[in-house]
Amino acid sequence: MYYIGIDLGGTNVAAGVTDKEGRLLGKASIPCPRGAEAIADAMAESVRLAVHEAELTLDQCGSVGVASPGTIDPEKGIVFHAFNLGLDHVPLAQMVSDRLGGIPTLLENDANAAALGEYVSGAGKGKNSLVAITLGTGLGSGAVLEGKLYTGFNYAAFESGHMVIRRGGRPCTCGRKGCWEAYASATGLIKSTREAMEAHHDSALWQLASTLEEVNGKTPFDAAQAGDTVAREVLAEYIEDLACGLANLINILQPEVLCVGGGICKQGENLMAPLRDALNREEFTKDAAHRCQVVVAELGNDAGIIGGAMLPLYR
Amino acid sequence: MYYIGIDLGGTNVAAGVTDKEGRLLGKASIPCPRGAEAIADAMAESVRLAVHEAELTLDQCGSVGVASPGTIDPEKGIVFHAFNLGLDHVPLAQMVSDRLGGIPTLLENDANAAALGEYVSGAGKGKNSLVAITLGTGLGSGAVLEGKLYTGFNYAAFESGHMVIRRGGRPCTCGRKGCWEAYASATGLIKSTREAMEAHHDSALWQLASTLEEVNGKTPFDAAQAGDTVAREVLAEYIEDLACGLANLINILQPEVLCVGGGICKQGENLMAPLRDALNREEFTKDAAHRCQVVVAELGNDAGIIGGAMLPLYR
């Protein structure tokens, strides 16, 4: 028996086929069109391509699991809102299933599916529990606790990005002030970098980005590497904010592994070494024999596909 | 089959006998002595009294579950540190078992046991999941997630009080700055009240407490009731801090019920009404059809006893 996963993204629809250990046997990616019907068509097409790539037939696959952005109802297989994709109350699971001969099709939030993927065959392989966060436009997160994908009683759990760490701080898209996401996402880092540039016109940051629009998540790391003090201060604060939320999650959940993904993680030890230093000061269990391991995510863009595929086994 | 629970407190050792639904059939409480051997003797004695009170015999009881303060190892049944009780690396489960004819004896952190008690026969009865917090000297918390006591891979989970909500804020006993406990515990409220009194010598708070030492968790509520503006401001900030951490926990975990216990909850709607208002603004799921219910804990001091008794069934 094989398992199909689909990662529905704003740019591409990617599908893959795995075995029951979550090993990816074949995958395919096609551009994501607009409109619910066209998206469902593209999803079905990506599945056919991936199954072919894996040298299998659809009959050999038991299920499809879809990792979708936005607000979803996993029980009913409905995407309530995924504004980037223009989806509004779309019964996506059923639409995909109908296009693939009625194959059982499950739907899950993309951050949850990515966490499951990392748990099954990435950073959390063989562990008791994993919390995954992704530093991107927002701060996505999901968790597998004691071998099961954790979604809360209403499927809305793990909006960890909307944990306030600086009460009264930066306004967040969710309406709160001082959310972790507002500081620790790539967007948060870019905002802090821009603020620092506006305050320091002599900073070397201006040599790497001649306008504020050109700043990206790499800019402050490059400037800090080149010795710029302002960039170093931006990063020191960024690390403190990131560590603050991670230590909060560890103090609450004590997962065996906490994995951090997203483009910023390409910085490797430039990010992880100071982050570990901060956690060594901040964690309640800093002196304990058994501590949560904080590591970089391993699967990159495949996490959602693999997690989607593994949904029927870990719900 | 019946179940025995012991709540080991700084003042009293309380034991109780329950049926498998966690209904308390008899209980007994005796003063807690000092020294490991004397404490184990008192625990065994409280069990004998409770069993007698329930009109049962020890043979009819299958297990003892101990709710202990401090740092513990539930697997080995050892209390590492419980400084208030003077316990240091004490194999308490074995010592209690030895005094009661070898009855299987389990050990758990008292906040976790209290959460389990509320889940089985209090505020979380019949629900999928519950997070419990207790506002006292510290801010204790525990959780039952999807029907199982959640302790993390290293048994150190749910130190929710040590979630930073105001980065760089008040120093906490754990070494961090700005922890939820430093603001939202009874101790935090007392500290805020004292700070306000020092800044406002004309406040009616001084009529209720003629020295700072006389301030307790009730003082600001009484003064606010009497119309004191300073006390009202203290409480408004207190509610915001309390709601901030609760909204964080809800956004992360989405338990079906979140129950709040401790002396401050005797304020009833004076506390809960403004708290619900704040959560209606702060929760990510504020507009969702299914929201976490925030309620007052129901079992008071019996939560630890009942949770201790229920340990073998919910681990």
Side-chain angles (χ1 to χ4, degrees):
Chain A
M1 174 77 85
Y2 300 96
Y3 303 86
I4 297 166
I6 305 178
D7 186 21
L8 178 56
T11 315
N12 292 304
V13 178
V17 184
T18 76
D19 62 14
K20 70 180 184 343
E21 273 84 38
R23 278 182 289 250
L24 203 51
L25 306 173
K27 64 173 175 170
S29 176
I30 58 179
C32 185
R34 287 296 169 268
E37 296 292 333
I39 287 174
D41 289 342
M43 290 166 81
E45 179 59 17
S46 70
V47 166
R48 285 185 209 101
L49 292 169
V51 169
H52 179 77
E53 184 71 24
E55 298 179 9
L56 294 167
T57 64
L58 200 52
D59 294 348
Q60 293 174 282
C61 302
S63 58
V64 172
V66 179
S68 168
T71 323
I72 61 154
D73 180 336
E75 212 160 357
K76 298 191 179 131
I78 292 175
V79 179
F80 285 134
H81 307 291
F83 295 118
N84 290 344
L85 298 170
L87 301 181
D88 185 13
H89 286 77
V90 172
L92 197 60
Q94 188 63 53
M95 290 167 71
V96 170
S97 178
D98 287 348
R99 282 160 171 80
L100 295 168
I103 190 168
T105 301
L106 304 172
L107 185 67
E108 188 51 79
N109 172 281
D110 54 1
N112 289 347
L116 179 55
E118 288 289 343
Y119 178 77
V120 176
S121 57
K125 198 173 170 177
K127 305 294 185 182
N128 155 279
S129 48
L130 164 136
V131 170
I133 68 159
T134 305
L135 308 172
T137 309
L139 191 161
S141 71
V144 180
L145 302 181
E146 301 186 348
K148 221 176 134 198
L149 182 64
Y150 185 83
T151 59
F153 88 107
N154 55 359
Y155 308 109
F158 275 91
E159 291 292 347
S160 311
H162 303 291
M163 157 175 66
V164 164
I165 60 164
R166 297 199 195 196
R167 184 156 94 67
R170 267 187 197 164
C172 180
T173 51
C174 76
R176 302 184 82 184
K177 285 183 177 173
C179 280
W180 193 26
E181 171 169 299
Y183 296 95
S185 63
T187 309
L189 175 57
I190 290 166
K191 187 175 167 65
S192 300
T193 306
R194 288 174 177 161
E195 284 173 1
M197 286 169 73
E198 285 183 306
H200 301 278
H201 283 271
D202 55 340
S203 162
L205 282 161
W206 287 104
Q207 290 157 33
L208 293 162
S210 56
T211 66
L212 294 179
E213 286 63 41
E214 284 172 43
V215 175
N216 61 38
K218 204 167 160 283
T219 316
F221 285 97
D222 290 345
Q225 201 79 22
D228 184 57
T229 321
V230 173
R232 285 186 178 172
E233 278 165 18
V234 167
L235 285 181
E237 278 291 288
Y238 177 74
I239 297 285
E240 285 301 318
D241 283 319
L242 181 54
C244 182
L246 290 175
N248 283 357
L249 285 179
I250 293 169
N251 286 355
I252 297 168
L253 288 164
Q254 295 290 344
E256 193 165 358
V257 174
L258 202 160
C259 82
V260 185
I264 286 172
C265 293
K266 291 189 187 129
Q267 296 296 330
E269 283 302 292
N270 287 341
L271 177 75
M272 296 306 283
L275 190 58
R276 278 192 297 265
D277 286 347
L279 290 170
N280 287 342
R281 290 194 315 273
E282 294 280 319
E283 274 177 44
F284 195 78
T285 40
K286 52 186 176 285
D287 303 319
H290 301 288
R291 287 178 63 188
C292 171
Q293 287 177 272
V294 179
V295 299
V296 172
E298 292 179 7
L299 302 181
N301 293 331
D302 291 342
I305 301 173
I306 296 172
M310 293 289 95
L311 278 176
L313 304 182
Y314 290 89
R315 254 189 181 160
Chain B
M1 174 77 85
Y2 299 97
Y3 302 85
I4 297 166
I6 305 177
D7 186 21
L8 178 56
T11 314
N12 292 305
V13 178
V17 184
T18 76
D19 61 16
K20 72 180 181 348
E21 273 83 38
R23 278 182 290 251
L24 203 49
L25 307 173
K27 65 174 177 170
S29 175
I30 58 178
C32 186
R34 287 295 169 268
E37 295 292 333
I39 286 174
D41 289 343
M43 290 165 81
E45 180 60 17
S46 69
V47 166
R48 283 185 212 103
L49 293 170
V51 169
H52 179 77
E53 186 71 24
E55 297 179 9
L56 294 166
T57 65
L58 200 52
D59 294 348
Q60 294 173 280
C61 302
S63 58
V64 172
V66 179
S68 168
T71 323
I72 61 154
D73 180 336
E75 211 161 358
K76 297 192 179 130
I78 292 174
V79 178
F80 285 134
H81 306 290
F83 294 118
N84 290 344
L85 297 169
L87 300 181
D88 184 14
H89 286 77
V90 173
L92 196 61
Q94 188 64 54
M95 289 167 72
V96 170
S97 177
D98 288 347
R99 282 160 172 82
L100 294 168
I103 190 168
T105 301
L106 303 172
L107 185 66
E108 190 49 80
N109 172 280
D110 52 2
N112 289 347
L116 180 55
E118 288 288 345
Y119 177 78
V120 176
S121 57
K125 197 171 171 179
K127 305 293 184 183
N128 156 280
S129 48
L130 165 136
V131 170
I133 68 158
T134 305
L135 308 171
T137 309
L139 190 161
S141 72
V144 180
L145 302 180
E146 301 188 345
K148 222 176 132 198
L149 183 65
Y150 185 83
T151 59
F153 88 107
N154 56 0
Y155 307 109
F158 274 90
E159 291 291 348
S160 312
H162 303 291
M163 157 175 65
V164 164
I165 59 163
R166 297 199 193 196
R167 184 156 94 67
R170 267 186 198 165
C172 180
T173 52
C174 77
R176 302 184 84 185
K177 285 183 179 174
C179 280
W180 192 27
E181 171 169 299
Y183 296 95
S185 64
T187 308
L189 175 57
I190 290 166
K191 187 175 168 64
S192 300
T193 306
R194 287 173 177 162
E195 284 173 4
M197 287 169 73
E198 285 182 308
H200 300 277
H201 283 274
D202 54 341
S203 162
L205 283 161
W206 287 105
Q207 289 156 33
L208 294 161
S210 57
T211 66
L212 295 178
E213 285 65 41
E214 284 172 42
V215 175
N216 61 40
K218 204 166 160 284
T219 315
F221 285 97
D222 290 345
Q225 201 79 23
D228 185 57
T229 321
V230 173
R232 284 186 178 172
E233 278 164 15
V234 167
L235 285 182
E237 278 291 287
Y238 177 75
I239 297 285
E240 285 301 317
D241 283 319
L242 181 55
C244 181
L246 290 176
N248 283 356
L249 285 178
I250 293 169
N251 286 354
I252 297 168
L253 289 164
Q254 294 290 346
E256 194 166 359
V257 174
L258 202 160
C259 82
V260 184
I264 287 173
C265 293
K266 290 188 188 130
Q267 296 296 329
E269 283 302 292
N270 287 340
L271 176 75
M272 297 305 284
L275 190 58
R276 277 191 298 265
D277 287 346
L279 290 170
N280 287 341
R281 289 193 315 272
E282 295 280 319
E283 274 177 45
F284 195 77
T285 39
K286 51 186 175 288
D287 302 319
H290 300 288
R291 288 178 61 187
C292 170
Q293 286 178 274
V294 178
V295 299
V296 172
E298 293 179 8
L299 302 180
N301 293 331
D302 291 342
I305 300 174
I306 295 172
M310 292 290 93
L311 277 175
L313 304 183
Y314 290 89
R315 254 191 182 160

